[in-house]
Amino acid sequence: MPPLRTRAPLSPRVGEALDAGAPELGSGVRLHDRDVAGLATPGLSARGLELRASRLAACDLSGARLSFAMLQDCELDRCNLAGVVSQDGGLRRVRFTGCRLTGMAWPECDLEDVAFRGCRFDLAGLRFARLQRVEFVDCVLREADFQGAALGSVRFERCDLSGATFGGARCAATELHGCELDGLVGIEGLRGAALPWPDIVGLSGAMASALGLRVLDEEDYA
């Protein structure tokens, strides 16, 4: 059976004629077909927030506390979502470009057809999340937490994954290309992923450690 290959995320379905303006965000708010730029609501607390078919540019939602939030068919450009904590909800057909997502935590969320490009996503918390057709390109993911996550058709390209955690993760049709992989934790969680041969060689020490192997010194077999 040939190996499974990753599938690119579907693009957001965002129309050309969008309503502009700076809306108020809060619990139960539903925004559809909006073009929002420069909105600043740091520390927002909201339940049931819904954004659909919209574009957000240079918006600041840092430190927000969200529950049951849903983003679908949205494009986010240069937005600050650092420290956002969200419970439940999910992302579907969403593109993040040049966004700051440091420390963003969305455990047990559903990410479907999502692209992260040129984003700072270090210390990300995606424990037990479900990722389907997701790509990370030129992203900083240092010490990101993918523990227990289910990765299906996920691609990491030229990303810094130093110190990231994959313990208990499950990978299907997942690929890593040209990534920094120093200090990975729970490397056994990458079982089933595909990497270029030079990257596999670079991980040989970590893989041997995960298997409990040790290196014989010359005097051990002389």
Side-chain angles (χ1 to χ4, degrees), residues 41-144:
T41 57
L44 171 71
S45 179
R47 180 183 179 89
L49 178 65
E50 180 180 294
L51 301 176
R52 293 182 185 267
S54 297
R55 294 190 182 95
L56 282 72
C59 293
D60 183 0
L61 299 175
S62 59
R65 296 296 182 266
L66 309 175
S67 57
F68 299 100
M70 181 67 190
L71 275 69
Q72 181 170 318
D73 291 311
C74 290
E75 298 176 354
L76 286 81
D77 182 27
R78 297 169 289 113
C79 291
N80 184 1
L81 300 174
V84 169
V85 177
S86 183
Q87 298 292 331
D88 300 304
L91 306 171
R92 185 178 185 186
R93 294 190 299 275
V94 179
R95 181 185 299 130
F96 296 85
T97 304
C99 292
R100 184 185 176 207
L101 308 165
T102 298
M104 182 178 181
W106 205 325
E108 301 183 30
C109 69
D110 291 308
L111 284 75
E112 182 177 338
D113 294 305
V114 179
F116 298 91
R117 298 174 181 171
C119 294
R120 189 172 187 90
F121 208 174
D122 46 326
L123 302 173
L126 293 171
R127 296 168 63 95
F128 302 100
R130 294 165 292 278
L131 289 73
Q132 186 69 31
R133 294 184 302 280
V134 175
E135 67 177 14
F136 300 88
V137 179
D138 296 320
C139 291
V140 175
L141 287 155
R142 286 195 293 266
E143 298 185 52

Side-chain angles (χ1 to χ4, degrees), residues 179 181-184 187 195-208:
C179 296
L181 303 172
D182 293 339
L184 285 186
I187 192 173
L195 296 82
W197 179 248
D199 291 348
I200 292 178
V201 172
L203 284 175
S204 58
M207 290 189 288

Side-chain angles (χ1 to χ4, degrees), residues 205 207-215:
M207 290 189 288
S209 178
L211 291 171
L213 303 178
R214 64 184 182 87
V215 178

Side-chain angles (χ1 to χ4, degrees), residues 21-31 34 39 41 44 49 51:
E24 291 187 10
L25 300 183
S27 294
V29 170
R30 297 183 177 181
L31 294 182
R34 298 297 295 268
L39 177 68
T41 57
L44 171 71
L49 178 65
L51 301 176

